[in-house]
Amino acid sequence: MSVSFILSERLKTVKNAVDKCNCVADIGCDHGYVSISLLKDGVASKVIACDVNEGPLKAAKENISNAGLSDCIETRLGDGLHKITTDDKVDVLVIAGMGGRLMARILDEGLEVVSNCSQLVLQPQSENFLVRQWLYEHDFIIEREFMVEDMGKFYWIIDAKKGTYVGPSEEDLKMIYDEFSEYLLNQKNQVLKKYLDNQLLLCNQYLKGIEEGKGDNLKATIEKLKKALELY
C-alpha cells in the first residue's frame, strides 16, 4: 500500500532546507511526513524518526511501512535526542513544530550529537530568539532563514551550520536581530514585513483597550516592531 500526502507549506520549507546527506534525525517527527519526503526526494539515504508520544510514532511507523521505506527510516520513541547517539553518525538534525525554549533544551541535552552535525534545520513555534541565541553561543551560524505564512500563521525556518557568529555591537540591534532574524531583515523578506505590520497593528489595537499607566510590556513590543520595520 502506498501512502499519499501533501506537505504543508511549513513542512515543505523545512524539508527543502535540508542539504543532501547520508543520515537525518527527525526529532518530533509526528506522522513521519518529512522523514518520508526526505527519502522519496533523495535528500537523505537514512532517517531516524523520533517522537516522545506513542500515538504519532505509531502512525509514523505505519506511514513509513506503507511507503515501503521501513528499511531506510528507523522510528524511535524518546524525548528529544535521548535516543540518538554519536554512533548513529547523524549529519543533519531536523527539529520542527515545538517551542523555542523546549528546542534549546533538546539541543543542550543532546550537545554531543548536535556538535557532530553538519547542519541544523530548526522551526521553532515561539521564542525564536532563544534558539538563535543558543546557536550563536554554541558555535553555529545561521546560514539562511526562511519565513512562510501557512493557514494564517507565520513560521521561521532556520538553516544553521558550524561557525563563529560576529553580531552587532549595539545591544538594541542585537535584540532586534535575535527576535526577528538578521538574515530576513537584511534580505528585506516580504513575509517578515507582513508579519511585522500585522503585529504592530494588533499591538496598537490592544493598547487602546488598556488603562492609562499600564501596558508597559506591550509598549516595549511596539517599539521593537517599529525598530525592526525601520530596518527596511
Side-chain angles (χ1 to χ4, degrees), residues 215-232:
D216 288 345
N217 289 339
L218 195 55
K219 289 176 183 177
T221 299
I222 287 171
E223 286 307 306
K224 284 193 291 185
L225 289 164
K226 286 180 177 178
K227 288 176 181 176
L229 284 165
E230 285 173 7
L231 294 173
Y232 281 88

Side-chain angles (χ1 to χ4, degrees), residues 2-19:
S2 63
V3 59
S4 178
F5 59 85
I6 298 174
L7 287 179
S8 66
E9 195 62 31
R10 173 180 71 91
L11 291 181
K12 183 168 66 176
T13 306
V14 169
K15 188 266 293 181
N16 289 341
V18 177
D19 293 341

Side-chain angles (χ1 to χ4, degrees), residues 7 9-21 23-29 34-35 38 43-44 47-48 81 90-100 102-104 106-107 113-125 128 131-132 134-135 140-148 155-162:
L7 287 179
E9 195 62 31
R10 173 180 71 91
L11 291 181
K12 183 168 66 176
T13 306
V14 169
K15 188 266 293 181
N16 289 341
V18 177
D19 293 341
K20 191 174 178 65
C21 63
C23 182
V24 173
D26 182 7
I27 307 302
C29 67
V34 170
S35 296
L38 289 169
V43 178
V47 176
I48 303 169
L81 287 161
V90 172
D91 302 303
V92 179
L93 180 63
V94 173
I95 311 179
M98 62 186 71
L102 173 57
M103 193 172 287
I106 287 172
L107 293 169
V113 171
V114 174
S115 298
N116 286 315
C117 292
S118 59
Q119 182 188 26
L120 310 180
V121 176
L122 309 171
Q123 186 269 298
Q125 300 281 75
N128 305 299
V131 176
R132 295 190 184 98
W134 189 96
L135 291 169
F140 281 91
I141 58 171
I142 295 174
E143 189 166 279
R144 300 178 298 169
E145 282 199 53
F146 309 90
M147 193 169 186
V148 297
Y155 301 96
W156 281 265
I157 295 92
I158 298 170
D159 170 10
K161 307 280 173 59
K162 290 179 180 178

Side-chain angles (χ1 to χ4, degrees), residues 144-204:
R144 300 178 298 169
E145 282 199 53
F146 309 90
M147 193 169 186
V148 297
E149 184 179 4
D150 191 352
M151 302 291 287
K153 295 183 178 180
F154 294 89
Y155 301 96
W156 281 265
I157 295 92
I158 298 170
D159 170 10
K161 307 280 173 59
K162 290 179 180 178
T164 302
Y165 174 68
V166 180
S169 56
E170 302 91 336
E171 196 58 37
D172 284 352
L173 185 57
K174 182 181 182 301
M175 179 178 64
I176 297 299
Y177 282 167
D178 283 350
E179 185 145 353
F180 301 117
S181 170
E182 179 178 2
Y183 180 90
L184 293 175
L185 285 166
N186 288 338
Q187 293 289 318
K188 311 297 182 189
N189 183 275
Q190 290 303 302
V191 180
L192 175 60
K193 174 102 172 27
K194 182 178 179 181
Y195 168 82
L196 294 171
D197 285 335
N198 286 357
Q199 289 297 112
L200 184 59
L201 180 63
L202 285 172
C203 287
N204 279 318

Side-chain angles (χ1 to χ4, degrees), residues 40-57:
K40 281 193 165 184
D41 291 354
V43 178
S45 302
K46 174 185 176 182
V47 176
I48 303 169
C50 299
D51 206 283
V52 70
N53 297 307
E54 289 187 19
L57 196 67

Side-chain angles (χ1 to χ4, degrees), residues 32 50 55 65 72 76 83 101 164 187 205 210 217-218:
C50 299
S65 177
C72 304
R76 297 181 188 176
K83 295 294 183 176
R101 190 173 299 275
T164 302
Q187 293 289 318
Q205 288 175 344
I210 293 177
N217 289 339
L218 195 55

